[in-house]
Amino acid sequence: MKILFATFFLIISLSLFSQDISINNGWKFKTGDSAVFASSNFNDNDWAPIKIGQSWESQGYENYDGFSWYRLHVIIPSSIKDKAFLKERIRFDLGKIDDGDEFYLNGNLIGRNGGRPGSIKSGQYDAQRAYTLLLNDTRILWDKENVIAVRVWDGGGDGGMYDGKYGISIMDVTDYVNINTSDNNFEFGENKKMAKKILLQSTSDKYDFNGKLRITITDPVSDSVIFKQTIGTDFAKDRPFEYTYKATLPDNRSYVATYSFTENRSGKEIAVSESIPFVLTPKTAATVKINGPNIFGVRPNAPLQYAIPATGARPLVYDVINLPNGLKIDKQTGIITGSLTSKGDYKVRLVVKNKLGSATKSFTIACGNTIGLTPALGWNSWNCWGLSVSDEKVKASAKQMFEKLAGHGWTYINIDDGWEDANRAASGEIVANKKFPDMKSLSNYVHGLGLKLGIYSSPGPRTCGGYLGSYQHEEQDAKTYGDWGIDYVKYDWCSYGNIAPKNPSLDEYKKPYTLMREALNKVNRDIMFSFCQYGMGDVWKWGAEIGGNSWRTTGDINDSWGSLSGIGFSQDKPAPYAQPGHFNDPDMLVVGKVGWGPSLHNSRLTPDEQYTHISLWCLLSSPLLIGCDMSQLDDFTLNLLTNDEVLAIDQDGLGKSARKIFEKDNIQVWVKPLEDGNKAIGIFNLNDKAQKTTINFSDLKLSSQLRLRDLWRQKDLGVFKKSFSIAIPSHGVVLLKTHAEKM
Ligand code: GLA
C-alpha cells in the first residue's frame, strides 16, 4: 500500500471529557484585581455576564491586557458520585486560558496555571486546565452552591477563558485510557482504499483493561455509516492494544472515523473522532505552467529580484521578452535581477519552456513608490518553531520552499522572534544570537534560491518573546537589515505598550511605525513592512498612508476552529481597506505541523477547516505565511498550498478583499471582485453539522445566469440559473469562480 500522507491526524471531537456537570454558561466577569474576588461571600451581582470559549476582546473588552476575574456559582450534586465506578477524585475542566490563571474553589486556592510551577504571568495560554481534588476534600460543598473564581492574567493580545473543554466530573477508570490516533498516519492505496493503525493505551499502574473497540466511518453529509467493525480488546500500561483497520471510501471527500471503547467493569464508553484527509488539488502537470501574480512592484534604483514561478517537468528554460534596460534574466534559474531608474509600468512577456512545450504570460513590472502589489506568499517561523527558531531550521524551510513551493509563487522566508542576542554590540548595533551565526550568509543562501528573507523586531525595548527590540535604535537596525539583505520586516508592538501613553491617540499609534518606515526608506532595498499591533486604533484605516504593506487585524491565531473562525469571519470590517500594496493580515496559516516551540503537532483543524482557512485567507487578499515545519510537508498540506487557481484568487491584481455578502443559518457567502471582471465566491458552512444550502444569485447581487468553476477541484460545474445548491460538511467550504463566457 502506497503511503500518501507522511504524517497526518486530526482529532475533531473528544468525548474523553465525559462531563457530569456543564459549566459552559452563567459566568460573571470583571477586569482588575482584588483578593476579595476569590471569596465565596463576595457579592458579584453587578458583574457583567461573559461567555467562555471566546476571548474577552471579542466581547467588548477591546485591547484589555492585565488581570481580570471570572466567577461562577454552581451546585455540585453528590449523586454524580453514584454514577462513577471509581470514587476517588473530582475534576474541574476550565479550558484554555490566555495567558495564566489561578483557580479558587469557595475562596481556596486550588491550583495555578494548569498546575504548572511558576507565576500566573508565565502562563501556558494553549494548555487545557484540569484541576482535580480527592472526593473527601472538605473544600468541595456537596449538594450546595460552590463558587468557582478564576483569576486570569493576560500579557498582550487576546485574553481570557477563550477555548477548550469545560465541565465538572468524577474521574473514572476510563480516564486512564487513551485512544491514540496520532502515532500512526492514514495510508492510502489504489481504488480509494485506506488503512489506519490505532492504539489503546493505559496510563494507570493499577488497572488492566478489557472491553470492546468499535470503529465507525460515517459520511458527515448524509450521516450514513459506510464502515463498521467491533473487536475485543485487552491492554495494560506496558501492553498497549494495536489495531489496523482497512476500509474503502466511496468518494474523494470528507469522512469521519470514530473510535469508541466500552470498558467492561464500569460499562463506560469513551470515544475519539478524526476526519480523514482528502486531496482535492489535481496533480501538477508535467507541461509548463507559469504561476504567480501578473504584476510586481519595485522602487526606482532599488535592487530587483523576481523569480518567475513556473511548474512542469524540469529542466525549465526561462526568458523574458521586452525586458527593460537595467534588468537581466538568468535563463536556467528564472531569476530576474538588476534595477530600473525610471518610474513606469514595463509590460513584458514571460516565456518558460521544457521538453514538452512552452508557456507564456503577460507581466507588468511596475516601477514606482509601491511594493508588495499583491499579498506576500511565504513562510514564517513562529507558528512552528516559536522562540526555538535557528539558522538550520530557516535554511531547511528555504530549501523545501525552493523545491516544492516556489514554482507556485511562494517567496518569503521570514524569521520571527528569537533570533536576537541578549546585548547589542558596543556600537549599538543589533547582533544575532548563537543560533544565527551569520545572517549575511543566510540571506545569500535564501537569495541564491530566488527567495527572500524576512526578520522580526519590536518598536519597544523588548519583543513579545522578551528579546531585544528596536527602541531608540530604529535607523541603526534598518541599516543592519539592509546590510544583511533583509526584504521583509515584521514590527510587533509588544513592550512599546510601556512607552506609549495608556490610551494612545491615533498619532501615538502611528508614531513607532512611521519612524521605522522612514528608517527603512533610507535603505536602498525594497523592504516590505508588516505592522503587528493586533488591529489597535483601526489600523486598517491608516496603515496604508504610513507605508504598511500589511497590518495584523487581530490577536494571535492558533490551530482551533474557535480561533480560526473567530478571526477569519470577522474580517468584513477591515475588508474595504485592502488595496494593492496594502493588505489586511488576519495572521499566519495554521496548517501542517505547528507547535510554537520545539515540539510540534499536526494542526488540530479538520481537513474541511483547513480548506476553509486557505479559501477564506485567499478571498481576503491576505498575506499567506505558512506556519508549519516545511521539512514535514505531507501530501494533504501540500495540496492546500499548491492549488494555483486558489492562489490566483489571493494574488489577483485588483487587490480587493472579499466582502461578506450573505449570511443565514450559519452559511456565509463571501464574494471577491477580480481583475478580469469575474468574481470569486466562497460558500462557508459554520455549522457543527453538514448543511445543504441553496444560494440565490440575486442575494449576491450577481446576474441570474452564471457559469461556475470549482477552484479546489479545478473543474467546471456548468451553467446555473438563478441559484446554486450544494451540501457542505461542517466547517467546510465550496470555493467558486464565476466565468465571463457568454451564455
Ligand atoms: C506576538 C505576535 C506573534 C509572534 C510573537 C513573537 O505574539 O503576534 O505573531 O510574532 O509575538 O514573540
Side-chain angles (χ1 to χ4, degrees):
M1 189 170 264
K2 200 172 138 220
I3 300 179
L4 280 180
F5 292 83
T7 52
F8 201 85
F9 89 102
L10 283 160
I11 296 181
I12 60 163
S13 73
L14 207 70
S15 48
L16 289 169
F17 295 84
S18 51
Q19 294 156 15
D20 295 320
I21 303 167
S22 162
I23 53 167
N24 286 316
N25 299 309
W27 290 85
K28 296 278 196 92
F29 180 73
K30 192 164 182 64
T31 54
D33 195 28
S34 164
V36 298
F37 296 163
S39 157
S40 40
N41 302 327
F42 176 75
N43 183 345
D44 55 26
N45 279 347
D46 63 344
W47 282 26
I50 191 153
K51 285 188 190 144
I52 53 170
Q54 57 191 75
S55 68
W56 63 54
E57 272 79 3
S58 67
Q59 303 180 67
Y61 300 91
E62 270 174 48
N63 305 330
Y64 179 73
D65 297 328
F67 282 105
S68 70
W69 286 74
Y70 287 70
R71 283 172 60 94
L72 180 76
H73 298 249
V74 58
I75 291 174
I76 306 181
S78 54
S79 61
I80 61 170
K81 291 186 265 187
D82 304 339
K83 286 189 258 160
F85 174 77
L86 285 189
K87 298 179 199 310
E88 288 176 4
R89 299 188 80 86
I90 186 169
R91 185 176 62 206
F92 298 82
D93 286 304
L94 298 178
K96 297 177 179 181
I97 299 177
D98 192 343
D99 295 309
D101 69 290
E102 276 169 356
F103 163 49
Y104 294 84
L105 183 67
N106 303 317
N108 305 292
L109 176 63
I110 304 297
R112 177 179 284 142
N113 193 23
R116 282 178 173 72
S119 92
I120 172 173
K121 290 195 179 181
S122 60
Q124 299 278 316
Y125 85 98
D126 201 24
Q128 167 79 32
R129 270 55 163 179
Y131 295 96
T132 73
L133 292 176
L134 288 169
L135 293 186
N136 60 8
D137 194 308
T138 51
R139 292 171 294 184
I140 312 163
L141 303 176
W142 293 101
D143 298 313
K144 296 200 183 104
E145 185 177 273
N146 289 259
V147 176
I148 292 176
V150 186
R151 180 182 183 225
V152 178
W153 163 258
D154 175 32
D158 289 355
M161 296 176 69
Y162 72 99
D163 195 16
K165 302 280 173 191
Y166 304 97
I168 303 175
S169 52
I170 304 295
M171 292 185 71
D172 214 333
V173 68
T174 41
D175 287 317
Y176 297 105
V177 175
N178 178 31
I179 303 178
N180 179 331
T181 61
S182 61
D183 277 10
N184 296 285
N185 313 306
F186 280 97
E187 295 181 10
F188 292 85
E190 299 303 314
N191 302 323
K192 306 196 174 85
K193 284 200 168 51
M194 58 135 295
K196 171 83 198 252
K197 188 197 273 184
I198 50 171
L199 300 171
L200 292 185
Q201 298 164 318
S202 158
T203 57
S204 163
D205 294 322
K206 241 168 53 197
Y207 307 107
D208 284 3
F209 290 91
N210 256 298
K212 279 200 179 68
L213 172 66
R214 224 183 324 268
I215 301 168
T216 337
I217 299 181
T218 45
D219 172 346
V221 173
S222 65
D223 257 346
S224 54
V225 174
I226 59 151
F227 173 88
K228 68 175 173 215
Q229 199 170 20
T230 303
I231 27 207
T233 65
D234 181 351
F235 56 99
K237 192 168 185 182
D238 54 351
R239 200 166 37 81
F241 179 80
E242 283 188 13
Y243 187 72
T244 302
Y245 69 95
K246 294 184 176 152
T248 303
L249 302 172
D251 216 341
N252 185 29
R253 58 186 175 84
S254 209
Y255 294 99
V256 177
T258 302
Y259 316 111
S260 73
F261 169 69
T262 311
E263 201 271 332
N264 276 350
R265 278 165 303 202
S266 62
K268 285 219 163 174
E269 185 185 349
I270 56 165
V272 169
S273 292
E274 61 178 340
S275 279
I276 302 173
F278 55 104
V279 165
L280 296 179
T281 302
K283 278 209 160 30
T284 303
T287 48
V288 188
K289 191 152 144 291
I290 305 179
N291 301 307
N294 296 334
I295 191 159
F296 177 77
V298 62
R299 292 184 312 151
N301 303 314
L304 175 149
Q305 180 183 299
Y306 185 78
I308 300 171
T311 49
R314 313 263 141 182
L316 298 174
V317 181
Y318 303 79
D319 206 353
V320 184
I321 299 169
N322 286 335
L323 195 63
N325 280 342
L327 299 185
K328 64 175 196 304
I329 166 86
D330 180 321
K331 296 195 176 187
Q332 265 68 52
T333 62
I335 304 175
I336 307 173
T337 52
S339 63
L340 294 167
T341 45
S342 321
K343 286 186 177 178
D345 280 355
Y346 298 86
K347 305 270 181 200
V348 301
R349 197 148 191 89
L350 310 177
V351 184
V352 185
K353 292 185 181 144
N354 73 358
K355 62 176 185 226
L356 298 171
S358 69
T360 72
K361 175 172 170 154
S362 312
F363 189 71
T364 303
I365 301 171
C367 182
N369 294 332
T370 315
I371 58 165
L373 296 173
T374 61
L377 293 184
W379 172 86
N380 173 293
S381 56
W382 184 249
N383 290 354
C384 48
W385 301 122
L387 296 172
S388 75
V389 62
S390 68
D391 177 89
E392 261 164 63
K393 288 169 174 162
V394 171
K395 276 195 183 127
S397 292
K399 185 162 176 281
Q400 292 299 316
M401 180 171 284
F402 172 69
E403 283 171 8
K404 298 189 175 139
L405 296 174
H408 302 275
W410 297 89
T411 307
Y412 287 94
I413 290 288
N414 293 351
I415 307 166
D416 207 279
D417 205 357
W419 63 268
E420 314 86 336
D421 201 11
N423 298 300
R424 288 176 175 269
S427 60
E429 259 171 68
I430 189 87
V431 196
N433 58 37
K434 283 206 292 291
K435 295 183 295 161
F436 289 88
D438 188 345
M439 277 292 188
K440 181 71 192 146
S441 105
L442 175 59
S443 106
N444 287 343
Y445 174 79
V446 170
H447 291 142
L449 298 174
L451 305 175
K452 299 191 171 182
L453 188 65
I455 213 160
Y456 166 97
S457 188
S458 169
R462 295 273 160 194
T463 65
C464 291
Y467 286 74
L468 280 182
S470 294
Y471 184 57
Q472 294 181 333
H473 291 273
E474 295 80 3
E475 285 215 2
Q476 206 168 20
D477 286 358
K479 185 178 173 308
T480 306
Y481 301 156
D483 293 345
W484 285 344
I486 296 296
D487 307 292
Y488 189 112
V489 172
K490 170 173 170 183
Y491 211 42
D492 195 347
W493 181 267
C494 303
S495 68
Y496 193 80
N498 305 327
I499 306 285
K502 192 106 198 78
N503 292 306
S505 66
L506 213 49
D507 281 346
E508 282 148 353
Y509 276 131
K510 290 179 184 175
K511 192 172 154 193
Y513 289 92
T514 308
L515 188 64
M516 187 49 124
R517 178 78 264 180
E518 281 166 5
L520 292 173
N521 286 348
K522 290 183 187 151
V523 177
N524 187 32
R525 281 192 78 75
D526 282 348
I527 301 182
M528 297 272 277
F529 197 25
S530 144
F531 297 2
C532 179
Q533 47 85 289
Y534 339 112
M536 293 185 299
D538 289 353
V539 59
W540 44 88
K541 295 186 178 157
W542 47 266
E545 108 208 1
I546 62 160
N549 295 104
S550 64
W551 44 82
R552 279 271 296 278
T553 52
T554 69
D556 288 15
I557 198 167
N558 64 57
D559 56 326
S560 68
W561 174 247
S563 167
L564 173 75
S565 59
I567 289 177
F569 293 109
S570 64
Q571 296 302 304
D572 194 45
K573 204 163 142 199
Y577 299 91
Q579 54 184 291
H582 313 284
F583 297 100
N584 295 308
D585 173 7
D587 207 1
M588 301 174 290
L589 303 180
V590 277
V591 301
K593 286 232 177 224
V594 293
W596 294 269
S599 58
L600 305 178
H601 59 261
N602 290 302
S603 171
R604 285 168 293 198
L605 299 172
T606 67
D608 283 304
E609 290 167 353
Q610 299 191 50
Y611 281 117
T612 286
H613 186 13
I614 304 296
S615 305
L616 184 54
W617 264 236
C618 287
L619 286 162
L620 296 172
S621 294
S622 152
L624 300 180
L625 292 169
I626 302 166
C628 68
D629 176 8
M630 300 267 282
S631 66
Q632 298 190 60
L633 278 175
D634 58 276
D635 280 10
F636 176 76
T637 310
L638 260 178
N639 128 84
L640 293 170
L641 303 174
T642 55
N643 191 313
D644 299 311
E645 294 195 21
V646 173
L647 292 173
I649 301 305
D650 182 70
Q651 293 296 300
D652 186 75
L654 197 60
K656 285 204 188 277
S657 167
R659 301 295 309 266
K660 182 169 67 182
I661 303 294
F662 178 80
E663 183 173 16
K664 198 180 168 195
D665 299 335
N666 269 326
I667 294 284
Q668 290 192 13
V669 184
W670 291 65
V671 179
K672 170 172 171 150
L674 302 171
E675 201 175 12
D676 64 7
N678 292 315
K679 303 271 193 316
I681 305 173
I683 309 174
F684 297 91
N685 176 13
L686 281 71
N687 218 19
D688 287 342
K689 289 239 169 273
Q691 287 203 82
K692 290 201 172 101
T693 184
T694 295
I695 303 300
N696 294 316
F697 299 153
S698 58
D699 288 337
L700 307 184
K701 298 173 194 78
L702 297 176
S703 62
S704 61
Q705 269 208 143
L706 290 175
R707 184 179 291 278
L708 296 175
R709 184 168 171 84
D710 179 329
L711 294 180
W712 279 109
R713 293 180 177 81
Q714 301 187 357
K715 236 178 159 167
D716 284 332
L717 300 177
V719 177
F720 294 81
K721 288 191 179 157
K722 293 200 171 134
S723 66
F724 175 73
S725 298
I726 187 90
I728 311 177
S730 166
H731 303 171
V733 60
V734 181
L735 185 64
L736 303 169
K737 187 178 168 186
T738 63
H739 270 253
E741 288 114 291
K742 288 272 168 289
M743 286 168 286

